[in-house]
Amino acid sequence: MFFILSYFARLQPGKMILWYYLIWYFVTVYFHFDPNPKIWINALGISVVIGIALMLSVSNGQSPFANPWQTFRLFWMPFAVSSFSSLIKGQGYTVIFSPHLREVLIALAACLLFTLFVAALKWRKRGLILSSR
């Protein structure tokens, strides 16, 4: 548990944005989940094909598994994009925004809560560092 809190306390802005993407994705899945296996199997297949291509594009001679989080993200993102686009097809979305204000507000609120959580961890970590001097 300490590891994950420490991770969030050190989170940089670029990684925060990736977490926002994940939160937005999960809110969308919550509201538009479709149990049709075809959606999820296709997303998994696209994830494998594109994930391998992304791994090849970023490899610099070291093991592709040297950075497990990067490897996970390179396979997760195509899965998320593919399943997201299948779930919102015909739902009236504009880019990533639902036509239902409630869904957009819930996604924004979840991102805001995450931001406050990370800010509190950073503030606490900073306070601990300052008090140890």
Side-chain angles (χ1 to χ4, degrees), residues 101-129:
L101 181 60
R102 178 175 174 256
E103 293 176 22
V104 174
L105 292 176
I106 289 171
L108 289 171
C111 290
L112 177 62
L113 285 173
F114 177 71
T115 302
L116 294 173
F117 170 71
V118 170
L121 290 174
K122 288 179 179 287
W123 178 78
R124 182 174 178 263
K125 179 183 174 192
R126 184 172 170 222
L128 290 174
I129 291 171

Side-chain angles (χ1 to χ4, degrees), residues 2 4 11 35-37 41 44 61 64 83 88 106-107:
F2 178 74
I4 194 76
L11 208 55
N36 183 351
I41 291 168
L44 189 61
S83 59
I88 69 169
I106 289 171

Side-chain angles (χ1 to χ4, degrees), residues 14-75:
K15 295 290 190 301
M16 286 280 293
I17 292 169
L18 294 178
W19 279 98
Y20 296 148
Y21 289 171
L22 184 64
I23 292 166
W24 201 277
Y25 171 79
F26 281 135
V27 170
T28 300
V29 169
Y30 175 79
F31 283 107
H32 300 281
F33 180 76
D34 184 340
N36 183 351
K38 186 176 180 181
I39 290 172
W40 306 104
I41 291 168
N42 285 341
L44 189 61
I46 288 170
S47 173
V48 169
V49 171
I50 301 301
I52 289 170
L54 291 171
M55 289 293 294
L56 293 172
S57 74
V58 300
S59 71
N60 54 3
Q62 62 181 354
S63 166
F65 303 103
N67 186 340
W69 280 114
Q70 177 180 331
T71 301
F72 174 77
R73 285 192 309 267
L74 292 176
F75 283 89

